[in-house]
Amino acid sequence: MRIQLNGESFELPDGQTVADLLVRLELTGRRVAVELNLDIVPRSQHAATALREGDQLEVVHAIGGG
């Protein structure tokens, strides 16, 4: 399936979840925010949130500072 990831076309196998995508991007365990079709996906829902053809995702790294 094809999704939009941070504004770029991205190909994934069918049946993937947000958690699967983060593994593929090597972002597991990192502080990231995920927005799926303009809605924030809580970290607790990453494994349960299935991705579908045409979904638009934004994955943002949390950066500390002061």
Side-chain angles (χ1 to χ4, degrees), residues 25-44:
L25 297 174
E26 299 180 359
L27 294 175
T28 304
R30 297 205 180 161
R31 295 184 58 127
V32 295
V34 178
E35 180 184 281
L36 172 60
N37 300 325
L38 303 178
D39 291 319
I40 298 294
V41 180
R43 182 181 303 258
S44 63

Side-chain angles (χ1 to χ4, degrees), residues 36-64:
L36 172 60
N37 300 325
L38 303 178
D39 291 319
I40 298 294
V41 180
R43 182 181 303 258
S44 63
Q45 294 298 309
H46 287 182
T49 304
L51 298 174
R52 294 177 180 79
E53 180 77 26
D55 277 346
Q56 295 185 17
L57 284 102
E58 295 290 328
V59 178
V60 180
H61 299 263
I63 299 174

